[in-house]
Amino acid sequence: MTKLSLIIGEIYSKYLPLAEKASIRLDLDIADPTEETGEDENLKAELDKQLKAALKRTPNGEIKIAADKNKIVIQDSGTTLSPTACTLLSRGRVSAKSRVGFGTTVKIDLEPKSSPKSKKPLPF
């Protein structure tokens, strides 16, 4: 188990100089710094990929990384994505939404997605 704050902190530190150079404010909000996760490498790779994409689509403004016990949320004030682009980004543990004037929000679930239970017919 690895502390979620260490995973996020590592990626945050990697991209902070790039954000500052591009005049992008990079904010961090971790609700519980003692929260742990068992998927450190997969989570780190997904967080790295999503933060890098947020920096590319945000020419200036702000990116916020927030974490709680269920998810990591990356919100940017950059380019608004089309519904098709959001659908393409939304897969597995990642979901994306975008609104004109608000930017894009990407959520990374910390809990693996469970497969839907098959419904058995009622016995009557």
Side-chain angles (χ1 to χ4, degrees):
M1 298 290 277
T2 304
K3 288 186 179 180
L4 186 58
S5 60
L6 293 176
I7 294 170
I8 295 170
E10 181 180 331
I11 302 302
Y12 176 85
S13 296
K14 176 181 176 179
Y15 287 106
L16 182 60
L18 296 171
E20 289 175 341
K21 186 175 180 179
S23 299
I24 299 169
R25 195 168 101 205
L26 191 57
D27 292 332
L28 188 58
D29 180 16
I30 300 175
D32 181 4
T34 63
E35 183 71 32
E36 294 186 340
T37 182
E39 286 195 53
D40 55 330
E41 290 307 314
N42 291 336
L43 183 61
K44 189 186 298 183
E46 191 63 57
L47 178 59
D48 186 271
K49 177 182 170 182
Q50 297 302 331
L51 186 54
K52 183 177 181 178
L55 282 164
K56 284 182 179 179
R57 69 177 166 258
T58 306
N60 57 36
E62 175 181 9
I63 297 173
K64 181 178 178 182
I65 305 167
D68 66 25
K69 60 184 171 184
N70 298 320
K71 63 188 166 292
I72 297 172
V73 179
I74 302 170
Q75 294 177 304
D76 67 62
S77 61
T79 306
T80 304
L81 300 178
S82 70
T84 302
C86 288
T87 300
L88 291 171
L89 278 175
S90 300
R91 60 182 166 37
R93 71 192 315 172
V94 177
S95 63
K97 292 186 179 182
S98 198
R99 280 183 35 196
V100 175
F102 292 93
T104 301
T105 300
V106 175
K107 295 179 183 178
I108 305 170
D109 289 329
L110 298 179
E111 302 283 325
K113 296 278 186 189
S114 59
S115 59
K117 295 179 182 177
S118 61
K119 293 185 178 181
K120 295 182 180 180
L122 296 173
F124 48 91

